[in-house]
């Protein structure tokens, strides 16, 4: 099946990975860019950088799904991991089940919340491992009082990502471990990537939009519930996901 109508070189594609054996239910989605199309396959560039040991742990024939958009429509297609072409380039074999659908807006809200974050670049596997360690601790049922008080800040929150001011320097594709405390324990913990930045009045900070890369399904439901409650606030806005 030809996908030339819908896909072109450089196109942004989100690649969703399965939770893995024995893993708790999660959503894990990487940003990639279409580098080259071949007969039945895509070569995809991952923008995170880093050394080989920091690359995402793909396994041969791992089932994946990709989503993108063209002509204002959403695209979804199954695929599986074929191999690495380079440190930052992977090849996926495509299925024959392309779905084209109407994209919908996702609600977003402005609120004050406790936020902690750690930022890095080229550390995808390390940050992913640290995220998994954090969620095991947060959901173990143990005493979380040692976490202390989170600095409160203004955030814009959606089910797919979050926006808040980040200390410079910050660049697109930077990775962040983000903890959000909105008054219900445990805090929501996500691995996120910076998808855009813009200057603020302070030269030391940039407003940064982040997309959630790794998030527990249970935490996603908590976010959706929080957003529904906050939508009663007239400042809530309807926007597309970051």
């Amino acid at each position: 099946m030809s996908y030339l109508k819908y896909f072109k070189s450089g196109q942004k594609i989100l690649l969703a990975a399965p939770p893995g054996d024995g893993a708790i239910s999660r959503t894990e989605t990487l940003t990639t860019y279409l580098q080259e199309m071949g007969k039945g396959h895509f070569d995809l560039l991952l923008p995170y950088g880093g050394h080989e040991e920091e690359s995402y742990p793909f396994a041969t024939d791992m089932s994946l799904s990709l989503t993108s958009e063209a002509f204002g429509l959403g695209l979804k297609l199954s695929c599986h991991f074929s191999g690495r072409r380079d440190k930052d380039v992977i090849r996926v074999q495509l299925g024959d089940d392309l779905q084209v659908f109407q994209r919908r807006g996702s609600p977003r809200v402005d609120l004050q919340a406790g936020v902690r974050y750690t930022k890095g670049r080229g550390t995808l596997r390390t940050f992913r491992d640290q995220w998994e360690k954090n969620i095991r601790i947060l959901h173990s049922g143990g005493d979380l009082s040692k976490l202390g008080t989170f600095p409160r800040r203004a955030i814009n929150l959606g089910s797919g990502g979050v926006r808040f001011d980040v200390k410079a320097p910050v660049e697109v594709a930077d990775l962040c471990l983000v903890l959000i405390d909105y008054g219900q324990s445990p805090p929501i913990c996500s691995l996120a990537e910076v998808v855009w930045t813009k200057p603020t009045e302070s030269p030391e900070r940039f407003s940064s939009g982040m997309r959630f890369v790794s998030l527990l399904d249970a935490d996603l439901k908590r976010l959706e519930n929080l957003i529904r409650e906050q939508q009663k606030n007239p400042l809530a806005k309807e926007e597309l996901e970051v």
Side-chain angles (χ1 to χ4, degrees):
M1 183 176 182
S2 175
Y3 298 119
L4 293 176
K5 178 180 177 181
Y6 298 106
F7 295 94
K8 61 182 180 180
S9 179
Q11 185 167 331
K12 183 177 180 177
I13 293 175
L14 299 182
L15 191 66
D21 295 338
I24 55 180
S25 184
R26 70 181 72 183
T27 298
E28 195 158 35
T29 311
L30 305 173
T31 291
T32 68
Y33 294 92
L34 181 56
Q35 186 179 67
E36 187 176 335
M37 288 185 287
K39 187 175 181 180
H41 71 262
F42 285 170
D43 287 347
L44 303 174
L45 172 68
L46 285 86
Y48 306 108
H51 302 293
E52 180 67 29
E53 61 270 17
E54 285 289 352
S55 61
Y56 187 88
F58 292 106
T60 303
D61 292 329
M62 176 187 286
S63 295
L64 303 161
S65 65
L66 58 85
T67 57
S68 189
E69 62 175 273
F71 313 114
L73 298 172
L75 309 171
K76 187 172 183 178
L77 179 64
S78 68
C79 60
H80 65 267
F81 178 74
S82 175
R84 290 191 178 275
R85 309 297 292 172
D86 199 351
K87 177 173 66 69
D88 297 324
V89 179
I90 64 170
R91 174 166 292 181
V92 296
Q93 296 293 328
L94 305 176
D96 194 21
D97 57 352
L98 178 65
Q99 301 175 46
V100 181
F101 57 91
Q102 191 70 42
R103 298 185 71 223
R104 295 182 178 180
S106 174
R108 301 184 65 86
V109 293
D110 296 303
L111 70 155
Q112 292 280 333
V115 176
R116 286 182 182 170
Y117 71 93
T118 302
K119 179 170 62 68
R121 187 170 185 84
T123 54
L124 177 58
R125 186 182 290 226
T126 293
F127 267 32
R128 180 175 176 268
D129 290 346
Q130 186 61 49
W131 173 76
E132 291 186 332
K133 179 180 178 181
N134 287 351
I135 61 174
R136 285 195 297 268
I137 294 171
L138 291 172
H139 293 268
S140 65
D143 181 12
L144 301 180
S145 61
K146 291 183 179 179
L147 291 176
T149 303
F150 284 42
R152 294 188 65 79
R153 65 180 73 206
I155 67 173
N156 179 265
L157 184 65
S159 59
V162 64
R163 182 187 78 223
F164 57 87
D165 291 353
V166 174
K167 187 176 180 180
V170 58
E171 299 179 12
V172 170
D174 280 355
L175 295 166
C176 292
L177 280 171
V178 181
L179 286 166
I180 301 173
D181 179 11
Y182 64 98
Q184 293 187 12
S185 185
I188 288 172
C189 181
S190 173
L191 172 58
E193 63 170 322
V194 176
V195 294
W196 60 260
T197 68
K198 65 179 182 180
T200 67
E201 294 180 356
S202 169
E204 297 180 352
R205 291 190 172 274
F206 283 79
S207 180
S208 301
M210 303 180 194
R211 185 185 67 80
F212 296 140
V213 174
S214 300
L215 184 68
L216 291 184
D217 288 349
D219 283 344
L220 174 59
K221 291 180 180 178
R222 293 170 65 199
L223 283 176
E224 291 171 342
N225 290 336
L226 171 62
I227 291 167
R228 278 194 292 268
E229 289 297 318
Q230 290 292 319
Q231 278 187 292
K232 299 173 183 177
N233 186 323
L235 294 178
K237 299 177 181 180
E238 180 96 351
E239 299 177 1
L240 291 179
E241 293 183 7
V242 296

